[in-house]
């Protein structure tokens, strides 16, 4: 068994994994991204999400052998690496020693449903917020999440923060603002701007009938006026006391709850 354990950082698969882990440019060039952790790798396998390689440390193979054997590896190639090499390529402090290389889905046209509820992440730059919003959208049954001018959907931090929801939620990246609004207009989807403004419609007074797409803006500056002005309606979360803003993921969660009620 020892002879089959990869120890060199120069192994082609390991070199590819590290490139994909550290560079958006490489992810786009290869059309691949990386996963780390038993749960998310298992989720990717169960959703048939195009895993090409599974990488496990010798320690992880012993510890999780049963769970990995129960999973359908499909066409994925499995390689075993040393524990030291696993620590070297890990992006978490306490790695489980399970990694994967996964194919980025081919860009598809948005799918709209009757009375569908959608979220648009416009200019969000915090990977943790983006991942958390995708996870919350999954939990609340949102029909699709659009990213426009936001951080890389397939960065390791975003993927990790989704906790596997990245494989269950319909996700679309459209960085052309005009095309995005045109897409919603052609589909008969009303656009809603989430803003901090006393003159906006309180979210508790919105009926959200029909199909709606809710725009969530940048963590620090919110939605640009030219974007909120293009939306069909401007809505806000009424707040008490001296609090005048919420974390983007928290605000999105509240609005998604109301949107889906």
């Amino acid at each position: 068994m020892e002879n089959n354990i990869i120890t060199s950082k120069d192994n082609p698969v390991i070199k590819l994994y590290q490139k994909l882990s550290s560079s958006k440019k490489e992810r786009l060039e290869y059309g691949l991204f990386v996963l780390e952790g038993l749960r998310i790798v298992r989720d990717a396998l169960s959703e048939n999400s195009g895993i090409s390689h599974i990488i496990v440390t010798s320690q992880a193979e012993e510890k999780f052998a049963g769970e990995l054997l129960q999973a359908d590896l499909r066409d994925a190639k499995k390689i075993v690496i040393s524990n030291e090499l696993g620590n070297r390529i890990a992006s978490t402090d306490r790695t489980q020693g399970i990694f994967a290389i996964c194919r980025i889905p081919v860009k598809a046209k948005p799918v709209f449903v009757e009375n569908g509820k959608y979220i648009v992440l416009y200019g969000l730059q915090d990977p943790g917020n983006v991942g958390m919003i995708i996870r919350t959208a999954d939990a609340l049954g949102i029909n699709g999440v659009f990213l426009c001018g936001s951080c890389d959907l397939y960065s390791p931090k975003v993927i990790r923060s989704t906790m596997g929801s990245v494989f269950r939620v319909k996700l679309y990246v459209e960085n052309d603002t005009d095309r995005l609004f045109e897409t919603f207009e052609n589909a008969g989807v009303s656009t809603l701007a989430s803003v901090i403004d006393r003159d906006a419609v309180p979210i508790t007074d919105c009926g959200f009938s029909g199909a709606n797409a809710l725009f969530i803006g940048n963590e620090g500056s919110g939605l640009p006026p030219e974007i909120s002005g293009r939306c069909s309606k401007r809505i806000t979360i009424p707040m008490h006391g001296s609090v005048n803003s919420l974390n983007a993921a928290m605000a999105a969660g509240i609005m998604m709850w109301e949107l889906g009620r």
Side-chain angles (χ1 to χ4, degrees), residues 13 178 220:
V13 176
D178 291 336

Side-chain angles (χ1 to χ4, degrees), residues 114-136:
E114 186 176 359
N115 299 321
K117 309 303 178 186
Y118 308 92
I119 297 294
V120 179
L121 308 186
Y122 193 93
L124 268 73
Q125 297 305 312
D126 185 293
N129 280 337
V130 171
M132 177 61 75
I133 292 171
I134 291 172
R135 183 183 178 193
T136 306

Side-chain angles (χ1 to χ4, degrees), residues 19-20 22-29 150-152:
K19 283 181 181 180
L20 298 173
S22 62
S23 171
K24 176 182 178 179
K25 180 181 177 182
E26 300 286 354
R27 289 191 286 272
L28 291 175
E29 181 176 331
S150 293
C151 63
D152 180 19

Side-chain angles (χ1 to χ4, degrees), residues 1-255:
M1 179 68 179
E2 289 296 329
N3 294 331
N4 296 326
I5 297 177
I6 293 169
T7 59
S8 173
K9 62 181 177 58
D10 294 323
N11 174 272
V13 176
I14 298 303
K15 289 176 72 174
L16 175 61
Y17 183 95
Q18 291 185 293
K19 283 181 181 180
L20 298 173
S21 180
S22 62
S23 171
K24 176 182 178 179
K25 180 181 177 182
E26 300 286 354
R27 289 191 286 272
L28 291 175
E29 181 176 331
Y30 286 97
L32 300 167
F33 66 104
V34 300
L35 310 174
E36 180 180 345
L38 175 64
R39 176 175 175 176
I40 196 163
V41 170
R42 191 169 52 201
D43 284 347
L45 288 168
S46 66
E47 296 293 335
N48 191 20
S49 297
I51 286 183
S52 63
H53 291 82
I54 293 177
I55 305 165
V56 296
T57 62
S58 54
Q59 185 177 40
E61 188 182 40
E62 292 180 10
K63 184 176 181 179
F64 302 114
E67 294 189 60
L68 286 174
L69 286 173
Q70 290 174 16
D72 182 359
L73 301 185
R74 300 183 187 273
D75 297 324
K77 298 177 181 178
K78 188 181 79 168
I79 66 171
V80 181
I81 63 175
S82 66
N83 298 325
E84 293 74 19
L85 191 54
N87 289 329
R88 184 184 184 113
I89 68 172
S91 59
T92 58
D93 292 333
R94 295 185 177 181
T95 181
Q96 291 180 296
I98 298 181
F99 313 87
I101 296 175
C102 193
R103 299 179 188 88
I104 293 176
V106 176
K107 185 175 180 179
K109 289 184 178 180
V111 176
F112 295 103
V113 299
E114 186 176 359
N115 299 321
K117 309 303 178 186
Y118 308 92
I119 297 294
V120 179
L121 308 186
Y122 193 93
L124 268 73
Q125 297 305 312
D126 185 293
N129 280 337
V130 171
M132 177 61 75
I133 292 171
I134 291 172
R135 183 183 178 193
T136 306
D138 185 18
L140 297 180
I142 297 299
N143 300 107
V145 177
F146 292 76
L147 285 82
C148 185
S150 293
C151 63
D152 180 19
L153 171 60
Y154 295 102
S155 75
K157 287 184 179 179
V158 171
I159 296 299
R160 188 163 59 248
S161 297
T162 69
M163 299 288 285
S165 292
V166 67
F167 302 116
R168 294 184 290 272
V169 177
K170 292 188 182 300
L171 300 169
Y172 309 100
V173 178
E174 178 51 81
N175 291 318
D176 186 315
T177 302
D178 291 336
R179 191 178 297 142
L180 181 64
F181 274 96
E182 183 180 339
T183 297
F184 289 134
E185 183 178 352
N186 290 341
V189 178
S190 298
T191 50
L192 311 173
S194 171
V195 298
I196 301 172
D197 189 337
R198 293 179 183 274
D199 294 328
V201 180
I203 191 171
T204 48
D205 294 343
C206 295
F208 298 123
S209 60
N212 293 281
L214 173 66
F215 280 64
I216 304 292
N218 177 270
E219 292 86 354
S221 55
L223 288 172
E226 62 270 21
I227 298 302
S228 60
R230 289 182 68 171
C231 290
S232 310
K233 186 183 295 184
R234 298 162 72 251
I235 62 176
T236 191
I237 299 173
M239 297 183 218
H240 298 280
S242 59
V243 176
N244 60 9
S245 66
L246 293 171
N247 167 273
M250 176 66 74
I254 293 171
M255 290 196 160

